[in-house]
Amino acid sequence: MFKKLLGKKSNKSEAILQRSAELVDEKVPSHIAIIMDGNGRWAKKRAMPRIAGHHEGMKTVRKITRYACDLGIDVLTLYAFSTENWKRPKSEVEFLMGLPEQFLNSFLPELMERNIRVQMIGEEQNLPKHTRNALIKAIDTTKNNTGLILNFAMNYGSRAEMVMAMQEIMREVEKGHLTIDEINETHVDRYLMTSHLPEPDLLIRTSGEVRLSNFMLWQLAYTEFLFTDTLWPDFDEQCLLEAVQEYQKRNRRYGGLEGEDEK
Ligand code: FPP
């Protein structure tokens, strides 16, 4: 896969391409989830309004989507708006709600060209109509694409998602399809918004904050975490490459033992 990258015409620096080609193919994470944090601080450092940071953050989304696609990642989940983000000033919320439209209006042709499929998790019915329509149009237009899944977490909250899953399971119990003692992890997985996706292999949070902020709490049980001080607008191909290289050094044991210790 990465050998192909080297032969490809690209404006990325040769050094990054060379290092991408050195990644261990079989250990490239299938699903990377990112908490994109630090847009506001990026803007503040430049005496710019917070929304300028979000606009710059949108450009990073484009850059990182392209690179994740080049690296052969299967799923890239981006935490774009949490159920708690409604607490922000109205003008900021309005700007954030306009970003999917801005992003998809200009980027949809390239998403098609790159065979990228757009999906979303989150409570879409509470999004403004224009935001929802932009996402639905992109999801529909790209639904037959078979490459990278670009999964936006938009108006997403993990606790609300788990409550909904529990309600669905209890409905199954009420209908007599399931008994309480039969409920297992597979049932919970089935009713989460991510039921069709592999669990994230790598979680990245930018900006130096070290918390999960109600993001994929169930799904991240065995995920490798990587926290970086880099602010999201400054996060680039080099940063993602380094994150994947760090992931490749990790020893994933899922609670078990490995190698000699297993005997
Ligand atoms: C957190 O940084 C970031 C957000 C709440 C918004 C993230 C959105 C983007 C990066 C753009 C999304 C693009 C599309 C296409 C949907 P913060 O504002 O909390 O930063 P701070 O902690 O420095 O204040």
Side-chain angles (χ1 to χ4, degrees):
M1 151 57 72
F2 305 112
K3 313 289 172 292
K4 268 197 278 168
L5 272 173
L6 278 170
K8 215 166 126 178
K9 278 221 176 321
S10 163
N11 54 8
K12 269 181 219 117
S13 77
E14 274 301 312
I16 290 188
L17 287 179
Q18 184 61 49
R19 289 179 66 198
S20 307
E22 284 161 11
L23 286 173
V24 186
D25 271 20
E26 65 275 14
K27 279 186 79 179
V28 168
S30 164
H31 184 172
I32 298 181
I34 307 184
I35 303 178
M36 308 180 287
D37 198 6
N39 294 347
R41 274 163 285 168
W42 183 92
K44 195 172 172 195
K45 269 168 64 178
R46 290 162 180 78
M48 290 159 99
R50 290 179 58 78
I51 57 170
H54 295 315
H55 189 261
E56 203 60 27
M58 179 184 71
K59 293 194 205 160
T60 304
V61 170
R62 206 173 295 167
K63 202 184 318 181
I64 292 305
T65 301
R66 286 187 182 123
Y67 191 51
C69 182
D70 289 344
L71 286 181
I73 307 294
D74 297 315
V75 187
L76 178 66
T77 296
L78 300 176
Y79 202 11
F81 194 90
S82 77
T83 44
E84 287 72 37
N85 286 152
W86 296 107
K87 294 180 203 149
R88 295 189 176 209
K90 192 164 172 266
S91 56
E92 185 173 341
V93 169
E94 274 173 10
F95 188 82
L96 287 170
M97 286 298 150
L99 285 181
E101 215 173 340
Q102 258 192 65
F103 173 81
L104 292 163
N105 279 346
S106 58
F107 203 43
L108 194 52
E110 189 176 333
L111 292 173
M112 288 303 288
E113 226 172 85
R114 287 178 170 267
N115 193 25
I116 295 173
R117 183 170 179 186
V118 176
Q119 296 191 337
M120 77 161 276
I121 53 173
E123 291 176 60
E124 63 166 66
Q125 62 282 359
N126 297 331
L127 293 172
K129 210 166 168 196
H130 63 99
T131 314
R132 205 172 152 209
N133 287 346
L135 285 161
I136 289 173
K137 180 181 161 206
I139 291 168
D140 193 54
T141 310
T142 62
K143 68 173 186 280
N144 295 321
N145 290 349
T146 53
L148 172 75
I149 293 178
L150 174 60
N151 183 35
F152 287 107
M154 205 59 209
N155 193 24
Y156 173 84
S158 181
R159 288 182 174 181
E161 177 191 33
M162 284 196 265
V163 169
M164 272 195 294
M166 287 179 211
Q167 288 170 334
E168 290 301 326
I169 292 170
M170 289 319 292
R171 272 190 259 282
E172 293 295 311
V173 172
E174 261 177 5
K175 286 184 207 154
H177 297 161
L178 197 65
T179 68
I180 288 184
D181 289 332
E182 280 168 347
I183 299 172
N184 57 30
E185 292 182 12
T186 310
H187 293 113
V188 179
D189 282 333
R190 188 179 302 156
Y191 288 108
L192 294 176
M193 292 163 180
T194 49
S195 58
H196 58 296
L197 298 174
E199 285 176 4
D201 299 294
L202 174 64
L203 169 86
I204 300 169
R205 182 170 188 149
T206 57
S207 91
E209 306 294 348
V210 185
R211 57 176 170 264
L212 289 180
S213 302
N214 201 14
F215 186 54
M216 299 182 107
L217 303 177
W218 172 277
Q219 296 89 336
L220 295 174
Y222 285 103
T223 300
E224 295 297 323
F225 289 5
L226 192 137
F227 296 97
T228 167
D229 288 339
T230 306
L231 304 175
W232 177 248
D234 293 327
F235 195 84
D236 60 8
E237 292 92 346
Q238 179 71 27
C239 298
L240 184 58
L241 174 62
E242 280 168 12
V244 172
Q245 285 171 327
E246 166 63 27
Y247 168 83
Q248 296 199 328
K249 288 188 212 144
R250 304 269 178 101
N251 183 9
R252 301 186 78 188
R253 294 190 297 274
Y254 302 93
L257 299 177
E258 206 191 43
E260 280 302 301
D261 294 338
E262 232 173 353
K263 292 176 194 153

